[in-house]
Amino acid sequence: MKRVKLTVAYDGTHYHGWQIQPEGDTIEAELNRHLSELLKEEIHVTGASRTDAGVHALGNVAVFNTQARMPVDKIAIAMNTRLPSDIRIQKSEQVPETFHPRFCRVRKTYRYQIWNRPVQNPLVSRYSTFYYYPLDAEKMDKAAHYLLGRHDFSSFCTAMPDRPNHVRTIEEISVRREGDMITLQITGDGFLYNMVRIIAGTLLRVGGGQMKPEEMKTVLEAKDRSLAGDTARPEGLTLMGIEYLDDKQRG
Amino acid sequence: MKRVKLTVAYDGTHYHGWQIQPEGDTIEAELNRHLSELLKEEIHVTGASRTDAGVHALGNVAVFNTQARMPVDKIAIAMNTRLPSDIRIQKSEQVPETFHPRFCRVRKTYRYQIWNRPVQNPLVSRYSTFYYYPLDAEKMDKAAHYLLGRHDFSSFCTAMPDRPNHVRTIEEISVRREGDMITLQITGDGFLYNMVRIIAGTLLRVGGGQMKPEEMKTVLEAKDRSLAGDTARPEGLTLMGIEYLDDKQRG
């Protein structure tokens, strides 16, 4: 038995997210179907991040066990000839049997892109959120920095009854403007449900002048979701990558 | 009567190019249809560049005459609520009655993007050409510089019987690598049919080592299409913009 880790990139535009749903295509279902056909045994992957409908990834992670003899590094190549063009396995590698993509120390990086101009650009609209009114990216960057470090992020998540612990650590966060594109990049040890999109939605308020950068601290400390901004649209969000930190859990 | 210039951006993935065809959607047909509906008169636009199927644009130009009273700058806004999401008018402005988008001095800029990595990336695949084998971007840049200036570009065009003049001036050209993306950017006073894609295809040969940078000069001077590389795929090509140089023709 071999345990295999896949690094998966996808354009989430046409998917109902990662996790298998009763209806609609999902990344998990595509992987299970094509892996099962390729390896001629029933495969059920375990994903690292269950991204939502419309969210993209450059480096999500899926793990599965197989009895197949195919060399592990060839699985990526063989899968890429079968998968739809909006999903591509970047790498397939063997990992220890104890490796679990969710229950180990990680560093995850997300990017949230905002196209800030009075007119939409069809060449970036799949991977960014369109925002008509001018935004001050420097103020957004200043506000974002109040989130650095270890905090209870209850203000910035959609509550899930089975996951009461809202303490996470943000290691790096920045907001930069390049021309008409504003990019929020955020790295941390884990993210709560909708956390990056709620942070983005709150930063949009700061950028538009409805909220002062310093108020980010107040919102964080209140642990009250109603004080933060809206959950920003999914198309701007991309899971850039997941780094596994414990040696024995590394791919 | 007013003469109106539109600056048009589009994702060409699902179009049969700019020019109206007996079958299949085209950018020109979409503009004519929605302009005619909006302005309640029959409109036929004249385009600056008849981009091919699958080619994109950030700043192509279309011109038309209208009797409508709608303020010219509002036409862009009104059109963007009607057009499919992969076409967006960036600007609408009044121009002199003598303005013709093709018969005046211009500076056009094209970009050709190549994703150079053994695995495709679904987040860039709509706007770049995938190239598996390693490419040397510095050699490509060196080769590209032999094309600078005023030359007969017969080696780099698909012949069109009605357009015998193959002399054009390339004012700027560069090939740069940023991570796995290689970008050819080229500015000139006009481009022959398939010219940028044939230049890109020839540079791919140089980058892959099948041709030396210096041989670019030989190919150029031979005025023989058969010595240049293949016409590179359309999805990597984007018409970035068209600058009109004569004052009285400017928008």
Side-chain angles (χ1 to χ4, degrees):
Chain A
M1 201 278 296
K2 284 181 288 198
R3 192 153 174 82
V4 179
K5 174 187 171 200
L6 302 177
T7 305
V8 190
Y10 47 88
D11 176 331
T13 308
H14 296 304
Y15 292 94
H16 292 235
W18 175 276
Q19 198 169 16
I20 289 180
Q21 307 287 338
E23 286 187 41
D25 293 334
T26 68
I27 308 297
E28 187 180 13
E30 290 290 328
L31 293 178
N32 286 348
R33 182 158 68 88
H34 290 288
L35 282 168
S36 300
E37 281 173 20
L38 174 69
L39 302 173
K40 298 181 177 58
E41 59 182 332
E42 203 175 314
I43 302 284
H44 296 281
V45 301
T46 304
S49 279
R50 299 178 188 129
T51 55
D52 273 332
V55 172
H56 316 289
L58 273 180
N60 205 342
V61 166
V63 173
F64 63 94
N65 295 332
T66 179
Q67 307 283 352
R69 286 195 201 165
M70 176 177 285
V72 170
D73 60 324
K74 298 282 180 274
I75 292 175
I77 301 164
M79 279 291 281
N80 286 339
T81 67
R82 295 168 172 261
L83 285 165
S85 64
D86 48 11
I87 308 177
R88 281 292 172 269
I89 311 294
Q90 303 296 298
K91 200 176 185 183
S92 52
E93 55 196 316
Q94 192 164 351
V95 284
E97 284 182 39
T98 54
F99 179 89
H100 191 287
R102 280 201 300 278
F103 306 121
C104 48
R105 291 203 308 131
V106 297
R107 190 180 284 137
K108 287 188 187 183
T109 298
Y110 281 92
R111 174 186 78 183
Y112 195 93
Q113 293 198 131
I114 301 155
W115 183 249
N116 184 37
R117 207 185 125 101
V119 188
Q120 182 56 285
N121 174 348
L123 300 191
V124 302
S125 57
R126 289 171 81 93
Y127 312 113
S128 60
T129 295
F130 174 53
Y131 200 81
Y132 180 93
Y133 298 101
L135 293 168
D136 184 329
E138 283 180 34
K139 283 189 180 157
M140 293 166 76
D141 188 53
K142 193 180 166 192
H145 278 77
Y146 289 103
L147 303 181
L148 270 177
R150 188 171 166 82
H151 303 285
D152 181 315
F153 285 96
S154 296
S155 295
F156 298 96
C157 76
T158 301
M160 305 275 271
D162 58 331
R163 298 191 227 164
N165 177 8
H166 293 166
V167 176
R168 296 291 185 277
T169 301
I170 293 184
E171 295 166 33
E172 290 172 41
I173 191 166
S174 67
V175 179
R176 299 274 175 272
R177 173 187 284 276
E178 203 172 331
D180 297 316
M181 187 68 87
I182 293 176
T183 303
L184 160 68
Q185 185 140 320
I186 181 166
T187 299
D189 64 351
F191 291 88
L192 302 163
Y193 187 50
N194 283 340
M195 181 167 155
V196 181
R197 289 167 60 189
I198 297 169
I199 291 173
T202 311
L203 292 174
L204 282 173
R205 280 203 193 171
V206 174
Q210 301 98 292
M211 201 176 126
K212 286 179 188 159
E214 308 80 74
E215 291 179 71
M216 202 70 175
K217 194 166 186 288
T218 321
V219 173
L220 174 68
E221 287 171 354
K223 297 172 200 165
D224 178 354
R225 169 70 186 90
S226 72
L227 296 187
D230 293 336
T231 304
R233 294 179 55 85
E235 65 269 23
L237 186 62
T238 302
L239 169 57
M240 300 300 282
I242 306 173
E243 192 186 345
Y244 287 87
L245 301 172
D246 292 323
D247 254 357
K248 62 170 188 174
Q249 289 161 335
R250 263 184 216 167
Chain B
M1 201 277 294
K2 284 180 289 196
R3 191 153 174 82
V4 180
K5 176 187 170 201
L6 302 178
T7 305
V8 190
Y10 47 87
D11 175 333
T13 307
H14 296 304
Y15 292 94
H16 292 235
W18 176 275
Q19 198 168 15
I20 289 181
Q21 307 288 337
E23 286 188 40
D25 293 334
T26 68
I27 308 297
E28 188 181 12
E30 291 289 329
L31 293 177
N32 286 348
R33 181 158 70 87
H34 291 287
L35 283 168
S36 300
E37 282 175 18
L38 174 68
L39 302 172
K40 296 182 178 57
E41 58 182 334
E42 204 176 312
I43 302 283
H44 297 280
V45 301
T46 304
S49 280
R50 299 178 188 128
T51 55
D52 274 332
V55 172
H56 317 288
L58 272 181
N60 206 343
V61 166
V63 172
F64 63 94
N65 295 330
T66 179
Q67 308 284 353
R69 285 194 202 164
M70 176 177 284
V72 170
D73 60 322
K74 297 283 181 275
I75 293 176
I77 300 163
M79 280 290 282
N80 286 339
T81 66
R82 294 168 173 261
L83 284 165
S85 64
D86 47 12
I87 307 177
R88 281 292 172 271
I89 310 295
Q90 301 297 297
K91 200 176 184 183
S92 52
E93 55 196 318
Q94 193 166 348
V95 285
E97 283 183 38
T98 55
F99 179 90
H100 190 288
R102 279 201 300 278
F103 306 120
C104 48
R105 291 203 307 130
V106 297
R107 190 180 283 139
K108 287 188 188 182
T109 298
Y110 281 92
R111 174 184 79 183
Y112 195 94
Q113 293 197 129
I114 301 155
W115 183 248
N116 184 36
R117 206 184 125 103
V119 188
Q120 181 56 285
N121 174 348
L123 299 192
V124 302
S125 57
R126 288 171 82 92
Y127 312 112
S128 60
T129 295
F130 174 54
Y131 200 82
Y132 179 93
Y133 298 101
L135 293 168
D136 184 328
E138 284 180 33
K139 284 188 179 159
M140 293 167 76
D141 188 53
K142 193 179 166 195
H145 278 76
Y146 289 103
L147 303 181
L148 270 177
R150 188 170 166 83
H151 304 285
D152 181 317
F153 285 97
S154 296
S155 295
F156 298 96
C157 75
T158 300
M160 304 276 273
D162 59 330
R163 298 191 225 163
N165 177 8
H166 293 165
V167 176
R168 295 291 184 278
T169 301
I170 293 183
E171 294 166 33
E172 290 173 41
I173 190 165
S174 65
V175 179
R176 298 274 175 273
R177 174 187 283 278
E178 204 172 330
D180 297 314
M181 189 68 89
I182 293 175
T183 303
L184 160 68
Q185 185 138 321
I186 181 165
T187 299
D189 64 351
F191 292 89
L192 303 163
Y193 187 50
N194 282 340
M195 181 167 155
V196 181
R197 287 167 59 188
I198 297 169
I199 291 174
T202 312
L203 292 174
L204 283 173
R205 279 202 194 170
V206 173
Q210 299 99 294
M211 202 176 126
K212 286 177 188 159
E214 306 83 72
E215 290 180 71
M216 202 71 176
K217 194 165 184 289
T218 321
V219 173
L220 175 67
E221 288 172 355
K223 298 171 199 164
D224 179 354
R225 169 69 185 89
S226 71
L227 295 186
D230 294 335
T231 305
R233 296 179 54 84
E235 65 269 22
L237 186 62
T238 302
L239 170 56
M240 301 300 283
I242 306 173
E243 193 184 345
Y244 287 87
L245 300 172
D246 292 324
D247 254 359
K248 62 168 185 173
Q249 289 161 335
R250 263 183 214 167

